[in-house]
Amino acid sequence: MANFFFTSESVTGGHPDKICDQISDAVLDAILEQDKTGRVACECCCTTGMVMIMGEISTNCYVDIPSIARKVICDIGYDSPEKGFDGNTCAVMTTIDEQSADIALGVDRQGAGDQGMMFGFACDETPELMPLPISMAHKLAAKLTQVRKDGTLSYLRPDGKSQVTVEYDENNKPVRIEAVVISSQHSADIDIETLRRDIEEKVIRATIPADMIDENTKIFINPTGRFVTGGPQGDSGLTGRKIIVDTYGGYSRHGGGAFSGKDPTKVDRSAAYAARYMAKNIVAAGLAKKCEVEIAYAIGVEEPVSVFVDSFGTGIIPDSKIAEAANKVFDLRPASIIETLDLRRPIYRQIAALGHVGRTDVDLTWEHTDKVDELKAAAGI
């Protein structure tokens, strides 16, 4: 196989869709703080001067949803009219119903909250066992946010995107960065030459290892030349519209279900975390260099209808044997996933931007590699 290129993108917390994800997960966190068994399916949309929060919530506690939304928006950095969106003054509308009794029947029996398939992935390209393109894209988005918030580049605004293209050799090893794209919202009084120079020096060169960039690496910074109008003023936002950013940057398959705003009885969220947990431990155990796990459920049924493991030819034993060992070690019933990964904690807003998997800045149970020895024993390694 010849050399090839793969590209992934990330977005900052000020992206309109990510504003909505963070509001949805902040509502979930607020409920879980008071009611660990609350049922939450909270969606959000935003546009110029307006946020609407909707969904199905069944809980015995009270949370002030408009106040939560305003706090999230201001924390992100949209706290004054000059930025085009202001959490202090924007309209906040809510329309909330209880969870459907028909759906509740299945969850009450400890079964899956819905049908569907969820994917988890891991590979040995980075220390956190993530694909390099999405890992680098997230790091750039995080750095873009950091230099804005700490005042290094105070003229930046919250909305931003990153994109990284990695060149792989014939052995599927990443060898260099082919292209980097950064687009950041900014104040109107900064000239484009200064912005491009600053972002290349303070964000790109400060984040990507020097040995991965060469004279042929293409760097694009605010390619249109102007990005003053951003956030909800520039584009509407919606919860769950950045699912590839949330996971593996397109490097692995995705079942289609979003995470944010959903309590852990929804397998869209909990089973996707469990699949990552399984895949990461398989790679960490040395059973494969690359691994994708698919788990599928029927609504109201405890056991998965299928579990599939694909090592893409990198396994040291047949994939069927890896799957057999994994099924002995991991209990994939929804109630067991929730208990094993301790998913009823208010931990979700902090991962609503910059990825739900591969995080090194947050201690997430599904990122632990504590099943390595059990997997090796079960596989007879």
Side-chain angles (χ1 to χ4, degrees):
M1 183 177 178
N3 285 24
F4 64 95
F5 302 97
F6 194 87
T7 302
S8 294
E9 72 159 350
S10 182
V11 297
T12 66
H15 186 282
D17 295 329
K18 278 292 151 201
I19 293 173
C20 294
D21 284 345
Q22 289 170 91
I23 291 172
S24 293
D25 273 337
V27 172
L28 171 62
D29 282 351
I31 290 171
L32 290 177
E33 284 177 354
Q34 302 179 60
D35 178 10
K36 292 187 179 300
T37 61
R39 305 275 176 83
V40 181
C42 180
E43 314 290 338
C44 179
C45 63
C46 65
T47 188
T48 305
M50 188 204 82
V51 173
M52 183 167 71
I53 300 138
M54 66 209 109
E56 297 78 43
I57 298 176
S58 296
T59 181
N60 58 22
C61 70
Y62 170 77
V63 296
D64 186 345
I65 291 177
S67 293
I68 291 169
R70 293 187 188 282
K71 185 177 188 307
V72 170
I73 295 164
C74 290
D75 286 349
I76 289 168
Y78 286 115
D79 53 7
S80 67
E82 68 174 12
K83 297 175 182 177
F85 196 65
D86 184 1
N88 297 298
T89 59
C90 67
V92 179
M93 295 177 283
T94 61
T95 173
I96 305 292
D97 292 318
E98 289 188 336
Q99 183 181 59
S100 159
D102 295 343
I103 293 174
L105 283 173
V107 181
D108 291 342
R109 293 196 297 262
Q110 304 297 304
D114 201 353
Q115 70 175 48
M117 65 283 189
M118 297 81 210
F119 288 90
F121 181 81
C123 62
D124 63 359
E125 293 179 14
T126 64
E128 63 270 26
L129 303 184
M130 286 286 286
L132 185 61
I134 189 65
S135 179
M136 284 287 98
H138 281 328
K139 286 178 169 64
L140 288 169
K143 191 67 173 179
L144 201 59
T145 300
Q146 178 192 325
V147 297
R148 171 178 63 85
K149 288 191 169 184
D150 68 16
T152 301
L153 302 181
S154 58
Y155 56 80
L156 295 183
R157 296 292 180 256
D159 195 358
K161 286 186 170 186
S162 62
Q163 184 173 284
V164 177
T165 301
V166 174
E167 181 177 357
Y168 289 79
D169 66 17
E170 64 276 6
N171 297 312
N172 288 326
K173 293 286 188 182
V175 293
R176 58 180 290 274
I177 302 297
E178 167 68 11
V180 178
V181 183
I182 296 282
S183 293
S184 179
Q185 184 187 10
H186 57 87
S187 64
D189 57 0
I190 190 71
D191 63 275
I192 187 63
E193 290 79 13
T194 299
L195 180 144
R196 286 173 174 165
R197 183 182 65 247
D198 286 350
I199 288 180
E200 179 168 351
E201 176 189 349
K202 305 292 186 182
V203 177
I204 297 173
R205 303 281 179 181
T207 302
I208 297 178
D211 62 354
M212 293 296 289
I213 298 179
D214 58 30
E215 66 277 6
N216 295 316
T217 299
K218 305 173 185 68
I219 295 177
F220 303 94
I221 300 170
N222 283 29
T224 65
R226 179 179 170 86
F227 187 2
V228 173
T229 302
Q233 184 185 25
D235 192 10
S236 60
L238 185 65
T239 298
R241 202 159 56 181
K242 282 288 177 285
I243 57 176
I244 301 304
V245 170
D246 287 341
T247 52
Y248 308 100
Y251 200 96
S252 169
R253 284 170 284 195
H254 194 293
F259 303 153
S260 289
K262 296 178 180 178
D263 76 80
T265 65
K266 279 74 171 175
V267 285
D268 277 344
R269 173 165 236 157
S270 54
Y273 295 163
R276 163 65 176 173
Y277 186 42
M278 184 186 291
K280 186 172 184 180
N281 275 272
I282 288 170
V283 173
L287 299 182
K289 299 175 71 63
K290 182 187 297 187
C291 180
E292 184 179 77
V293 173
E294 184 201 41
I295 311 170
Y297 292 89
I299 187 169
V301 179
E302 280 193 283
E303 295 288 347
V305 298
S306 70
V307 179
F308 175 69
V309 173
D310 188 353
S311 72
F312 306 94
T314 69
I316 63 172
I317 58 176
D319 288 352
S320 61
K321 296 296 184 183
I322 297 176
E324 183 180 321
N327 278 320
K328 291 178 181 177
V329 173
F330 296 92
D331 186 344
L332 298 175
R333 293 174 298 170
S336 179
I337 291 171
I338 291 169
E339 181 180 358
T340 300
L341 299 181
D342 196 11
L343 296 181
R344 295 195 187 276
R345 296 172 294 145
I347 58 173
Y348 298 108
R349 185 199 158 185
Q350 63 184 333
I351 57 172
L354 302 178
H356 292 245
V357 292
R359 299 293 289 263
T360 58
D361 58 325
V362 184
D363 182 21
L364 302 174
T365 50
W366 55 92
E367 292 298 315
H368 294 177
T369 53
D370 53 351
K371 299 295 185 181
V372 165
D373 292 339
E374 289 181 64
L375 273 172
K376 287 181 178 179
I381 302 300

